[in-house]
Amino acid sequence: MLFSQRKKLKVTLLYLFVLCSAQHSAQPETRQVKGIVGKSLSFPEKVLKSGTLRYGDLGNIAYVYPGKQSNTNLEKRFENRLHWNNVTGFFNLTDLQIDDSGVYTVENADEEKKTHIFQLTVYFLSKPQVTVHDSSSCSVVCSVENGRDVTLSWYRGEEKLNQTSSPDLNITLSLPLKVDVQNRDSYRCEAANPVSKEIAVVPNPCIESDPSKVADGDERTRGSLIIAVICILVASGLVGLAIYLKRRRNGHSHTDSPEREQDVIQYAEITHIKTTKKQEERRGIPELDVLRDNTNLTLVYDTLQLHRMAAREDVDTA
């Protein structure tokens, strides 16, 4: 009696195992597909004559009817983004968004009904940015907006120096590094996810990338220019003043010359002296008579007469 009960139990367990195995084998395998935000994706299963595409709990979002007709605008969120290619037989989803991720099921009814399940994961990746943190030591920081399965890494050549990631998709990933300025071209910052990667390089020497250093350099340059302009203006003013003073001095010299010449000239007052007997005796001298008779030379004649008389008197006295 006990033996028969055990035998029945074994048969029951074997039946359940076979039933579960059959159900498991009937369940289609789920395939992983990956997409990038803004790009397009084709589900790699053909539907040439008739079939449907389902998305999660929304149900059918596209139909294909015999005669190569289709209806892919059943859901507003997929409107103008979901298409069926009547040549390849693939459903194509364009302008991918993060919330397009999920389970898609393609049912092909061309010959015999087949079901294919796809797990779509859409990734987003922005370009990382490298900024100077400390110009004195040339320390830089690479940062990128976090996303699904995003990692941020520093490389020198092919050597990975460090890496960071976070499950919090609402933060910004940051990774500092002290760079050898002499070999800065060998460094690169790489942001990556399972489907794409973006690279940023170290900027020009730290002193050129540091805003404070650039500002200080600009201030020094501006100060030097101001000093140079002031020196030029002062020099121009001194030259102009020298030219003005020289011209003014020359002008006064020309103006004062006639006055000095007039000061040198001395006018003698002429007193007509009554002709004496001795003077009358000198009328016989032809040279003096010519001078005396010329009215224009009267003044000169009288002056000469005075000098002759004075000289004669001095001789007589002697």
Side-chain angles (χ1 to χ4, degrees):
M1 184 70 180
L2 182 61
F3 176 76
S4 61
Q5 289 179 350
R6 289 180 177 177
K7 187 176 181 179
K8 289 181 180 179
L9 180 60
K10 289 181 179 179
V11 171
T12 302
L13 292 175
L14 180 61
Y15 173 77
L16 291 175
F17 176 77
V18 171
L19 181 62
C20 291
S21 298
Q23 290 180 350
H24 179 73
S25 61
Q27 182 70 25
E29 180 184 358
T30 300
R31 287 184 280 178
Q32 299 292 326
V33 290
K34 301 171 182 179
I36 304 173
V37 169
K39 305 294 184 178
S40 60
L41 173 77
S42 294
F43 296 99
E45 187 59 44
K46 296 180 179 180
V47 177
L48 296 176
K49 294 180 180 179
S50 63
T52 60
L53 176 65
R54 294 199 309 268
Y55 172 64
D57 297 333
L58 293 179
N60 292 328
I61 58 175
Y63 285 103
V64 175
Y65 303 101
K68 297 184 179 180
Q69 296 178 353
S70 66
N71 185 356
T72 57
N73 293 321
L74 300 180
E75 274 295 324
K76 187 175 181 179
R77 59 174 292 184
F78 297 109
E79 187 174 2
N80 299 323
R81 296 198 299 125
L82 181 59
H83 310 279
W84 174 71
N85 190 316
N86 59 4
V87 177
T88 63
F90 293 153
F91 289 103
N92 186 46
L93 184 58
T94 63
D95 191 20
L96 291 173
Q97 307 297 324
I98 290 293
D99 56 3
D100 289 337
S101 300
V103 177
Y104 292 79
T105 303
V106 177
E107 289 189 349
N108 186 349
D110 288 342
E111 296 178 357
E112 58 180 87
K113 190 173 183 179
K114 294 181 180 179
T115 301
H116 306 273
I117 301 175
F118 299 94
Q119 175 67 53
L120 172 62
T121 304
V122 181
Y123 294 91
F124 169 77
L125 184 64
S126 61
K127 187 174 180 62
Q129 301 292 327
V130 178
T131 56
V132 176
H133 176 68
D134 185 357
S135 61
S136 60
S137 60
C138 203
S139 296
V140 295
V141 176
C142 184
S143 58
V144 70
E145 183 179 348
N146 196 18
R148 180 182 285 118
D149 298 332
V150 170
T151 59
L152 188 65
S153 308
W154 271 111
Y155 286 86
R156 183 173 57 200
E158 298 304 319
E159 178 188 4
K160 182 184 289 186
L161 302 176
N162 49 26
Q163 179 177 298
T164 186
S165 62
S166 174
D168 187 355
L169 303 183
N170 297 318
I171 67 169
T172 298
L173 297 178
S174 297
L175 198 59
L177 182 71
K178 185 176 180 180
V179 175
D180 179 8
V181 180
Q182 301 299 325
N183 300 309
R184 69 177 182 82
D185 292 336
S186 64
Y187 293 88
R188 73 179 187 275
C189 179
E190 182 178 291
N193 59 27
V195 294
S196 61
K197 66 179 180 180
E198 294 284 350
I199 294 176
V201 297
V202 177
N204 289 334
C206 295
I207 190 170
E208 296 179 12
S209 303
D210 186 5
S212 62
K213 295 294 183 182
V214 173
D216 293 342
D218 292 342
E219 290 296 331
R220 288 194 295 269
T221 302
R222 189 179 298 110
S224 299
L225 289 175
I226 292 174
I227 293 174
V229 170
I230 292 175
C231 292
I232 292 173
L233 292 176
V234 170
S236 300
L238 292 175
V239 171
L241 179 61
I243 293 173
Y244 169 76
L245 293 176
K246 183 177 180 180
R247 290 180 177 177
R248 185 175 180 183
R249 184 169 58 251
N250 292 339
H252 280 297
S253 298
H254 291 302
T255 304
D256 295 342
S257 294
E259 296 179 356
R260 287 196 296 270
E261 291 178 359
Q262 292 177 4
D263 292 341
V264 171
I265 298 174
Q266 295 182 358
Y267 295 92
E269 182 178 357
I270 304 301
T271 304
H272 291 279
I273 303 174
K274 186 176 180 180
T275 304
T276 62
K277 184 177 181 179
K278 292 181 179 181
Q279 290 177 340
E280 290 179 354
E281 291 178 354
R282 293 188 178 93
R283 287 182 178 271
I285 301 173
E287 294 82 359
L288 296 178
D289 291 341
V290 173
L291 294 174
R292 183 178 60 247
D293 295 337
N294 191 338
T295 57
N296 294 328
L297 300 177
T298 302
L299 178 61
V300 176
Y301 173 78
D302 291 341
T303 303
L304 292 175
Q305 284 290 83
L306 290 174
H307 284 287
R308 281 179 174 272
M309 290 176 62
R312 184 65 179 266
E313 291 177 357
D314 291 339
V315 174
D316 293 342
T317 305

